[in-house]
Amino acid sequence: MNARAAPLEGFGAGKVILLGEHSVVYGHPALAGPLSYGVTARAVPAKRCQLSLPGTLSRPQRALLTRAFQRVATLCGEPGVKVTLESELPLSMGLGSSGALAVASTRVLLKAAGRDDSPQEVARLALEMEQEFHGTPSGVDHTTSALEKLLLYKRTPGQSTGRLKVLKSPRPLKVLVALVGDRSPTKHTVGALRERQARWPERYTRLFKQIGTLAAEGAKAVEDGDLEALGDAMNVNQGLLAALGLSSPQLEDMVYRLRGLGALGAKLTGAGGDGGAVIGLFLEPEPAVKKLLDDGVRCFSSQLAGPRAL
């Protein structure tokens, strides 16, 4: 890498799950799409491969990020660069910030090493960072981030990678993302759900299967351009997530608020818990975004798929 060359950059998109969170861990499909917001990694020449971290991070956070970065840096041949990260995503709100970070870091390291940085190769190596962050991730976050496509994703339990189908929408598929309160740590939410699932396996297996069915139906609705059917599937999915004990009064209030503002469907996205991100499917989200921003709600809109205005 030329010392006078401009910094290399790698981008990792955030993600939202339209349908299928939690059930995807148990082998059912999930429908997920990439956000226009994400994490950017920049690399400049250095004597050794290293990650520059902001001083605001705690010691455990710094140690975790360093271990995860080193894991993928080794696989990329440890090119002589210093990598810095810049995130547009709120952390720990269900928008795939760790997956986006893994993809951005992997992409810029592969570029610095002069290696293949195709979306498939980026996804393969970014999994290593996600495993450091989460142990046994479903893979939907970093895969959606690396491919930057709307995906129907399914991973058989015990397998490290999943199968996917890239979906094309004949209509613009736009969502509003609203941020509500502080989210419970994912491991707590997932752990509590796993305990309930182990205690009443037949009941929870039925619920997970139904959520997977909704994801498959939602994928067909996308391809058919039937956004109303997709929105209805999202509403039903929210009811099932609440039945699984994953929603909260804060999240429910925002779900109903978005529906009142014209959302075709609205639900939490991500792990759920006390707070987090709520998404609404809109034909035109901007009036609702303006209304919420005027009311002090942190929110933004993003197009996940379909034709874009020139």
Side-chain angles (χ1 to χ4, degrees):
M1 185 173 172
N2 189 320
R4 290 176 292 181
L8 292 176
E9 291 192 359
F11 179 73
K15 72 90 187 62
V16 291
I17 295 181
L18 290 169
L19 298 161
E21 49 268 275
H22 289 285
S23 64
V24 68
V25 177
Y26 294 92
H28 300 287
L31 179 61
L35 294 170
S36 51
Y37 299 88
V39 175
T40 299
R42 295 183 176 88
V44 295
K47 291 182 179 179
R48 61 181 180 84
C49 191
Q50 58 187 290
L51 177 63
S52 176
L53 293 172
T56 54
L57 296 178
S58 67
R59 183 175 293 179
Q61 287 173 326
R62 295 173 70 86
L64 176 60
L65 272 174
T66 300
R67 285 198 310 272
F69 179 83
Q70 186 57 50
R71 191 162 163 174
V72 77
T74 300
L75 293 171
C76 292
E78 300 197 35
V81 290
K82 179 171 73 173
V83 175
T84 57
L85 301 169
E86 180 181 332
S87 178
E88 304 168 294
L89 296 170
L91 300 178
S92 301
M93 292 295 278
L95 300 179
S97 57
S98 69
L101 185 154
V103 165
S105 300
T106 301
R107 185 164 274 145
V108 82
L109 286 171
L110 286 171
K111 286 182 178 180
R115 299 258 302 271
D116 171 26
D117 65 339
S118 66
Q120 293 74 18
E121 182 65 4
V122 169
R124 186 180 74 82
L125 295 184
L127 173 62
E128 296 284 336
M129 285 189 77
E130 276 286 82
Q131 287 173 335
E132 191 68 46
F133 291 137
H134 301 297
T136 55
S138 70
V140 66
D141 286 18
H142 80 276
T143 302
T144 304
S145 176
L147 272 62
E148 292 190 58
K149 302 286 186 183
L150 185 66
L151 304 176
L152 185 66
Y153 178 91
K154 181 177 181 180
R155 179 181 68 86
T156 302
Q159 299 293 315
S160 60
T161 58
R163 293 180 288 115
L164 58 88
K165 178 182 180 182
V166 175
L167 302 174
K168 294 185 178 180
S169 174
R171 297 172 67 184
L173 200 165
K174 301 178 182 180
V175 294
L176 182 157
V177 180
L179 305 176
V180 181
D182 294 320
R183 196 171 67 126
S184 309
T186 299
K187 63 180 180 180
H188 294 170
T189 306
V190 171
L193 175 59
R194 195 178 298 277
E195 288 178 9
R196 294 193 294 275
Q197 191 270 341
R199 187 174 181 184
W200 299 292
E202 292 185 5
R203 178 181 306 152
Y204 280 77
T205 296
R206 288 197 303 269
L207 291 171
F208 290 139
K209 183 178 180 180
Q210 183 58 48
I211 290 173
T213 299
L214 286 171
E217 292 173 350
K220 184 178 186 305
V222 167
E223 294 182 318
D224 291 344
D226 191 347
L227 298 185
E228 292 74 15
L230 175 60
D232 188 70
M234 291 170 63
N235 288 335
V236 175
N237 194 167
Q238 173 62 24
L240 293 173
L241 291 170
L244 289 168
L246 299 167
S247 195
S248 69
Q250 287 188 96
L251 294 173
E252 293 290 335
D253 286 348
M254 184 55 69
V255 165
Y256 282 97
R257 190 170 181 182
L258 294 185
R259 291 173 188 169
L261 289 170
L264 300 175
K267 60 182 282 293
L268 68 86
T269 186
D274 295 330
V278 174
I279 55 172
L281 177 67
F282 285 84
L283 297 179
E284 291 298 338
E286 292 311 320
V289 169
K290 183 179 185 308
K291 169 64 176 169
L292 292 175
L293 288 175
D294 288 345
D295 291 344
V297 176
R298 292 186 296 161
C299 65
F300 60 90
S301 64
S302 189
Q303 182 169 334
L304 307 183
R308 298 176 184 271
L310 298 176

